Amino acid sequence: MIALPELKDVSVEVTDGVATVTLNRPESRNVISDAPLVDELPAVFGVLSADDAVRVIVLTGSGSAFSAGGNIRQMQEQGGIFAGSTDQIADGYRRGIQRLIRAVVGAEVPVIAAVNGPAIGAGFDLALACDLRLASTTARFGETFVNLGLIPGDGGSWLLPQVVGFQRACELAYTARIVDAAEALALGVVLSMHEPDDLMAAALDLARLIASKPATALRYTKRLLDRARTGTPFAQILDEAASVQAMLHGTPDHAAAVEAMVNRPRHG
């Protein structure tokens, strides 16, 4: 049994190694800058990453949106993480929404975003923080910070170029243009597009396929891919890969997989 903290704005279900994490603030279109969600999601990802029974996380939103990003009403009222002096607001970002994005990026298992509706501003960046993204036909994506006189303050300026390349990231961030699901698929923002009623089934099918792979190898594959995208030098990655590979050669999972491969029936 996975010991999760008491949760209000996030729900979690774990079945056969797949953890489904749902943002549960549909009345606010799942804004992610408010407590308790801004505290709950990092805590949930920390617990799930540390549990060997969890092999994949699927992240989605409740209601009609994946996430509307930051709470614009709180910005207007200068409340929550947007309250106080310049230094206090900067600290609010570091202790708040940036910690949430860090938790998703830093998850030790693969993370799939099932983008069920609009993912705007910080909500788009939350989707970008995941390893894989599947979208409903109703999904919309926008790096819209400049419309509010702001910058992508929670990691989007690094995440978006990683996914779409520098020039396209510039265009999307400078214009704040909204991208529909079909264009997101063409740009490589999402892996696939599905009718709304089929989205979670597709995401869970992919999650179960990934979860069926040897757990230790899966976690280390995730770790090495993350090291690559953060700019770790190739020579260093090769050195780390040699050490990890040597360790994996001694695991029961590897022995069983090799045995099955050698003894599988051959046709023709």
Side-chain angles (χ1 to χ4, degrees):
M1 178 68 69
I2 296 174
L4 290 164
E6 185 176 346
L7 300 171
K8 178 183 177 183
D9 286 353
V10 177
S11 63
V12 182
E13 180 180 340
V14 181
T15 305
D16 297 331
V18 176
T20 302
V21 178
T22 305
L23 308 178
N24 196 25
R25 295 197 65 194
E27 75 288 347
S28 71
R29 296 171 65 80
N30 299 316
V31 296
I32 56 173
S33 59
D34 301 351
L37 190 149
V38 76
D39 298 311
E40 291 180 355
L41 198 64
V44 163
F45 267 73
V47 170
L48 295 177
S49 286
D51 195 302
D52 290 339
V54 176
R55 298 190 175 193
V56 184
I57 298 171
V58 176
L59 177 64
T60 193
S62 60
S64 61
F66 178 75
S67 173
N71 188 328
I72 296 178
R73 187 170 296 280
Q74 278 201 344
M75 293 181 195
Q76 180 186 41
E77 298 170 352
Q78 297 183 325
I81 70 168
F82 312 115
S85 67
T86 299
D87 287 345
Q88 287 172 322
I89 294 172
D91 190 53
Y93 271 88
R94 294 185 185 105
R95 291 184 296 102
I97 200 166
Q98 287 187 355
R99 186 165 57 92
L100 182 155
I101 299 292
R102 283 178 185 271
V104 177
V105 171
E108 295 184 19
V109 297
V111 182
I112 301 169
V115 185
N116 56 297
I120 304 299
F124 185 18
D125 294 344
L126 179 63
L128 292 170
C130 301
D131 301 299
L132 301 162
R133 288 161 295 280
L134 279 63
S136 163
T137 54
T138 62
R140 300 291 183 271
F141 302 86
E143 195 76 348
T144 55
F145 296 90
V146 72
N147 283 347
L148 297 173
L150 297 172
I151 62 164
D154 44 52
S157 57
W158 186 87
L159 292 164
L160 187 57
Q162 292 282 331
V163 173
V164 299
F166 181 76
Q167 179 172 246
R168 182 61 70 186
C170 289
E171 185 262 330
L172 292 174
Y174 295 163
T175 67
R177 183 169 66 83
I178 301 297
V179 172
D180 65 17
E183 186 178 359
L185 179 62
L187 291 174
V189 171
V190 299
L191 185 68
S192 57
M193 181 175 65
H194 306 271
E195 292 300 322
D197 290 344
D198 299 330
L199 174 65
M200 282 307 297
L204 291 172
D205 281 347
L206 177 58
R208 284 189 286 264
L209 174 60
I210 295 170
S212 71
K213 308 305 179 184
T216 304
L218 190 61
R219 283 179 177 252
Y220 275 103
T221 299
K222 155 87 172 178
R223 187 175 302 180
L224 285 170
L225 287 170
D226 283 344
R227 298 281 278 162
R229 77 170 177 171
T230 56
T232 302
F234 182 54
Q236 185 176 336
I237 287 178
L238 281 178
D239 187 58
E240 292 179 12
S243 297
V244 170
Q245 198 77 308
M247 179 272 293
L248 291 172
H249 272 285
T251 61
D253 279 343
H254 170 66
V258 169
E259 181 74 16
M261 187 70 70
V262 168
N263 293 322
R264 69 180 179 180
R266 283 173 168 74
H267 304 283

